[in-house]
Amino acid sequence: MPTLDYSAQTVLITGASSGIGASFARALAARGCDLVLVARRRERLDALAAELEAAHGIRATALVQDLGSPSAAAELHSAVTTAGLRITGLINNAGFGTFGPFVGEDPARLAQEIAVDVSAPVLLSAAFLPDMMAARQGFVINVASTAAYTPTPRMAVYGAAKAFVLSVTESLWAELRASGVTVFALSPGATSTEFNAVVGTDDATAGARMRTADDVVATALAHLDSRDPGPSVIDGTANRAGALGLRLISRRATATLMHRLTDPARRARRTTGQEGPV
C-alpha cells in the first residue's frame, strides 16, 4: 500500500511533454497529485495539462523553460512561488544524449548536454529541497540511466552525466535520510521514448529490447511507496542483472565490451545476419 498521500502533493516534473515525463504526469495525476509540468514545447504541455485536469480533476500548471539556461532553476522556483504553489515532489527527468566519437562532437552541443543532464537536476534540487526539508516531507526522483553503471563509448558525455546524477543522488539520499524527504535515482535502460530520435540514431540503444515509459514509472512509484526506499533503483530485471554482472569484470573489459556493443557497424552486421549475438 502507498505510504504517501498523493492527493496532498504538488509535483514538478521536468521533460514532461513526452516519454517518461508524460508517463509520470499521467500516473501521478491518476493518484490525485497536482502537477507543475516543465518542458520547452508549449503546445504539448498545454494539451497534457488540459487532458489531466479534465480526466482527474487535479490542477496542472504548464511552465515553458529551457533547462539549459543557467538561471532556469531560479526562474522556475520564482514562478511557482509567485503562483502560490508549494512543491512537495520534484522529478528531474529532462535530459538528452549525443552519439558518436567524442572527437568531432560539437562543443556547444556537449555544453548544452551537460547543462541539461547535470547542472539542471543539481540546481533544481538545491532550489526546492530547502522548502521540503523545512516541512520535513517531500521527495526528489532524479532520472539517471543504466549508462551510469558502465563506460559508454560513443556516448561518453551522456554516460558520465548519468553517472554523476547517480552518484550525487545516492549521496543526497544518505545526507537526507533523517530529514523526512525521500531522494533516490531511477535508472531506466533502453525505453521506448523520443530519446533515439533526439540523438539521431537507433544505434544509441544498440538494438536493446525496449521497456515502456509506463514500465519505468511503475518501477519508480513502487520504489517510492516502499517502506524504506533505497538510494537508487534500476528498471527491469534484465537491466538490473546486466548492471550487477558488469561489476564483476574489470573496467578495462567493461569499456572494451561497451565499445563493441555500441559500434554501428556491428549492429548493421547483426541486422543483416552477418554476426550473431554477443
Side-chain angles (χ1 to χ4, degrees):
M1 291 293 291
T3 57
L4 189 68
D5 180 3
Y6 284 98
S7 65
Q9 309 304 314
T10 299
V11 183
L12 188 153
I13 306 170
T14 67
S17 62
S18 66
I20 293 171
S23 289
F24 263 120
R26 291 189 172 98
L28 291 170
R31 287 165 167 77
C33 292
D34 288 339
L35 301 172
V36 176
L37 308 175
V38 178
R40 293 182 300 170
R41 294 177 285 192
R42 164 65 71 184
E43 290 185 4
R44 286 200 183 189
L45 283 182
D46 287 344
L48 180 60
E51 170 199 326
L52 299 179
E53 288 185 337
H56 303 291
I58 56 95
R59 178 181 180 183
T61 302
L63 294 177
V64 175
Q65 183 68 57
D66 179 3
L67 294 178
S69 167
S71 60
E75 290 171 3
L76 284 173
H77 190 269
S78 176
V80 299
T81 301
T82 300
L85 300 172
R86 186 175 71 85
I87 300 301
T88 61
L90 170 64
I91 301 176
N92 283 308
N93 165 72
F96 72 92
T98 52
F99 183 89
F102 177 81
V103 176
E105 291 274 21
D106 177 6
R109 184 67 169 166
L110 295 179
Q112 186 77 357
E113 186 176 4
I114 293 167
V116 174
D117 293 3
V118 174
S119 298
V122 168
L123 296 177
L124 283 165
S125 297
F128 289 102
L129 272 171
D131 294 336
M132 296 183 198
M133 293 179 67
R136 295 195 60 79
Q137 64 175 343
F139 66 89
V140 176
I141 302 174
N142 288 331
V143 179
S145 167
T146 52
Y149 292 85
T150 175
T152 50
R154 300 181 180 85
M155 297 186 74
V157 172
Y158 178 79
K162 293 305 184 178
F164 177 94
V165 169
L166 177 65
S167 179
V168 75
T169 306
E170 291 186 330
S171 295
L172 291 177
W173 172 86
E175 289 185 23
L176 301 180
R177 287 199 73 186
S179 70
V181 179
T182 299
V183 180
F184 65 87
L186 167 66
S187 291
T191 307
S192 183
T193 66
E194 295 179 355
F195 181 84
N196 282 0
V198 173
V199 173
T201 175
D202 288 341
D203 291 326
T205 47
R209 181 176 297 175
M210 295 283 187
R211 299 270 290 171
T212 70
D214 288 346
D215 291 334
V216 174
V217 170
T219 294
L221 296 184
H223 192 73
L224 180 62
D225 288 336
S226 62
R227 185 177 298 275
D228 184 20
S232 56
V233 61
I234 298 173
D235 174 61
T237 301
N239 291 327
R240 289 190 290 273
L244 177 62
L246 288 172
R247 292 178 179 178
L248 303 178
I249 63 177
S250 71
R251 299 291 286 182
R252 178 189 181 107
T254 302
T256 301
L257 172 64
M258 294 306 298
H259 186 263
R260 181 184 178 199
L261 290 176
T262 61
D263 182 358
R266 172 189 167 275
R267 183 166 178 267
R269 290 194 298 271
R270 286 191 65 188
T271 302
T272 58
Q274 297 178 34
E275 177 177 314
V278 173

